[in-house]
Amino acid sequence: MHDATTPLRPLDGITVISLEHAIAAPFCTRQLADLGARVIKIERPKVGDFARRYDERVDGLASHFVWTNRSKESLTLDVKAEASSDIMERLLSEADVLVQNLAPGAAARLGLSFDSLHERFPRLIVCDISGYGDDGPYRDKKAYDLLIQSEAGFLSTTGSPEEDGMAKAGCSIADIAAGMYAYSNVLSALLLRERTGKGSHIDVSMLECLVEWMGYPLYYAYKGATPPARAGASHSTIYPYGPFPAGDGNTVMLGLQNEREWQTFCEVVLQDSVLASDPRFSSNSQRSAHRQKLRDLICHAFQELSADEVIARLEDANIANAHVNDMHDVWQHPQLMARQRWTQVSSPAGPLPVLLPPGRSNAFTPRMGEVPELGQHSVGLLQELGFSDDSIHCLADKGVI
C-alpha cells in the first residue's frame, strides 16, 4: 500500500519479478525500482548474482552490483528445483512484470516463457533480454558486452587509426543500451496494458540496441561508402573537435560546429585572425582533410597557456569546451555538487554515495533503497506468500532457498 504522507511515485504498486544477473536486466529493474516498483530479485542460493563477485572496490562490495541493485529485495531460490514451482507460481500471481536475462532458452525450459505464462497470468508483462533475440541463427550464441560491441560495429569506430588501434568502451555500453531499452519497453507495456487489459511480450536484443546507437556511422557508410575512420577522442569527420594539450601538461577538449565559430576561434582563442581565411581551412571538410597541420598550429598556440587559460579563452569565444576528467574528478564535479545530485543508500557495507537518477521531477522523489544482502528478504517474502515457518525451514534444508 502507498504511504499517503509521501508523493506518489509513477510505479508505486507495480511488482517486478526478475531472474537477472550481470548488468542488462539489473540495470533495467533498478530503474523501475527508482520509480517506485517493488523489484524481487531471484538469486541462486549461496552463489547469487555473479556480479556480486566481480570486484570488492566498494568497501568490500562489487562496483557493478552496487550500481545496479539498490532498492531491490533479494530472494534466494533454486528455480530448477521442483519445490520452487509453487513459489514461482505464487510470486507471478501477484506480479505485473517478469524480467529475465538467463542463458538463451533457459527461461523457456523452466516454463517461464510468455507463451507458457500468458493464459494463467494474462496481465503479466514478460521481458526477455538476450544477446541476439529469441530467434535467428545467432539466437544461442553467448553474448558478453565486448562481443556485442564487436558484432554491432562499435569497435570499428573507437580507438586510434592504427591497424590494431580498436578500443572498447570503458563502460558496459551494450549492456547499458539493452537495459535502457528493456526499461523503456516495460514502461510502454504498462501503458499499453492500461488500454488493453493484457500483458505483452518484450524481446530485447543487445545487438539491436547497440546497432540502433550506431545510426550515424551506419548511414555515413550508406551504399558502400567509406565508413568513418577511427579518430581516438577526436571526431572522425568534424575538425577541430577533440582533445588538445595545453602548456601545463593538461588536456582541453573542444569542439567547433560551424564557420562562425571557426572565425571566432581564430580571432579570440588562437589570436590569429589571418588563419581564419587560410584556404586550407576554409570549410569543415578542408579542415578535416588538413587536420594534422591544423592540429600543429593549435598545439603551438596552446603551448604557452595553461589548460585553465585555454578554457577561459574558449569561454570568451563561446566555443564548446570541457575538462578531461578522471573518475576522481567526477566524484567532486562542481556541477553535480551544485545541483545536489548525490545522495546515500544503505548497503551491507554501510552507507554509500549514489547519484540520483537522471531526470529530476517536481512531482516525486525517486526511491533510493538499500543494496540487499544475498537472500536478505527470502524468509519475509515466503511468509508473505503464505508459507509456514516449518515449510520455510524445510525449503532451506533442501537448498531450494
Side-chain angles (χ1 to χ4, degrees):
M1 294 291 290
H2 174 68
D3 181 356
T5 64
T6 60
L8 186 68
R9 296 186 179 100
L11 296 185
D12 281 345
I14 296 295
T15 298
V16 179
I17 308 299
S18 190
L19 286 82
E20 59 180 31
H21 57 252
I23 301 303
F27 188 45
C28 164
T29 58
R30 194 221 77 191
Q31 293 178 95
L32 296 172
D34 291 343
L35 297 185
R38 182 186 191 186
V39 176
I40 299 172
K41 180 184 180 78
I42 295 178
E43 302 188 71
R44 285 185 291 178
K46 299 182 180 179
V47 178
D49 181 343
F50 52 73
R52 285 182 178 272
R53 301 179 306 284
Y54 277 168
D55 58 62
E56 302 83 29
R57 299 305 289 266
V58 190
D59 294 338
L61 305 178
S63 52
H64 289 78
F65 192 85
V66 168
W67 165 43
T68 58
N69 287 283
R70 65 172 179 251
S71 304
K72 300 180 184 180
E73 299 172 52
S74 174
L75 167 65
T76 50
L77 183 65
D78 180 0
V79 292
K80 295 181 180 179
E82 184 177 345
S84 71
S85 59
D86 184 30
I87 298 172
M88 288 299 302
E89 195 78 5
R90 297 192 200 190
L91 284 170
L92 293 172
S93 69
E94 302 294 327
D96 299 279
V97 182
L98 171 65
V99 177
Q100 68 85 19
N101 68 331
L102 302 177
R109 290 192 294 273
L110 293 168
L112 298 175
S113 68
F114 176 78
D115 290 341
S116 299
L117 297 172
H118 184 59
E119 186 174 344
R120 299 200 309 283
F121 311 113
R123 289 177 56 81
L124 182 68
I125 294 161
V126 177
C127 178
D128 298 327
I129 305 172
S130 63
Y132 297 100
D134 65 6
D135 57 4
Y138 280 44
R139 181 191 65 182
D140 297 324
K141 280 180 71 73
K142 287 188 175 181
Y144 304 142
D145 184 86
L146 175 59
L147 307 180
I148 297 298
Q149 289 189 38
S150 182
E151 288 281 358
F154 182 85
L155 291 182
S156 75
T157 68
T158 57
S160 57
E162 292 79 16
E163 185 176 346
D164 60 348
M166 72 173 67
K168 68 181 288 293
C171 60
S172 306
I173 191 169
D175 284 321
I176 294 168
M180 292 302 300
Y181 282 110
Y183 166 59
S184 58
N185 271 271
V186 168
L187 295 178
S188 68
L190 287 166
L191 287 171
L192 185 62
R193 192 180 68 175
E194 288 298 302
R195 297 184 176 187
T196 66
K198 294 181 179 180
S200 51
H201 178 219
I202 302 163
D203 171 20
V204 175
S205 153
M206 291 170 64
L207 176 67
E208 291 160 20
C209 293
L210 196 54
V211 169
E212 165 67 16
W213 286 10
M214 300 305 297
Y216 137 66
L218 268 176
Y219 283 108
Y220 192 84
Y222 184 57
K223 288 188 175 179
T226 303
R230 292 193 186 99
S234 296
H235 198 288
S236 57
T237 60
I238 302 174
Y239 204 81
Y241 197 124
F244 293 89
D248 61 358
N250 292 313
T251 301
V252 173
M253 195 71 68
L254 63 90
L256 276 66
Q257 292 281 356
N258 54 53
E259 299 313 304
R260 176 185 54 78
E261 289 188 348
W262 167 243
Q263 183 85 26
T264 307
F265 180 71
C266 292
E267 293 173 355
V268 177
V269 180
L270 301 183
Q271 297 184 351
D272 184 356
S273 57
V274 175
L275 190 64
S277 57
D278 190 313
R280 294 172 299 176
F281 314 127
S282 60
S283 67
N284 175 64
S285 59
Q286 287 292 96
R287 291 191 292 274
S288 191
H290 297 95
R291 63 173 58 203
Q292 187 55 56
K293 179 58 180 176
L294 181 51
R295 177 176 175 79
D296 292 342
L297 292 170
I298 294 171
C299 291
H300 179 74
F302 285 2
Q303 70 181 5
E304 302 300 323
L305 304 171
S306 69
D308 286 342
E309 289 171 330
V310 172
I311 286 178
R313 287 192 185 184
L314 291 165
E315 287 291 311
D316 288 343
N318 199 25
I319 300 295
N321 65 83
H323 298 87
V324 181
N325 289 328
D326 63 17
M327 292 297 97
H328 301 118
D329 299 321
V330 176
W331 276 113
Q332 304 298 327
H333 201 292
Q335 181 68 1
L336 298 175
M337 297 285 192
R339 284 171 54 81
Q340 300 179 322
R341 298 310 293 167
W342 295 106
T343 188
Q344 284 190 332
V345 299
S346 300
S347 82
L352 294 174
V354 294
L355 186 71
L356 286 162
R360 188 169 63 183
S361 171
N362 71 346
F364 71 97
T365 56
R367 181 181 174 201
M368 304 298 289
E370 67 183 329
V371 178
E373 291 189 59
L374 178 61
Q376 179 178 338
H377 304 90
S378 296
V379 172
L381 280 165
L382 292 175
Q383 289 173 338
E384 184 182 328
L385 293 173
F387 289 87
S388 67
D389 290 344
D390 286 344
S391 62
I392 293 172
H393 286 308
C394 183
L395 289 167
D397 289 340
K398 293 180 178 178
V400 179
I401 63 169

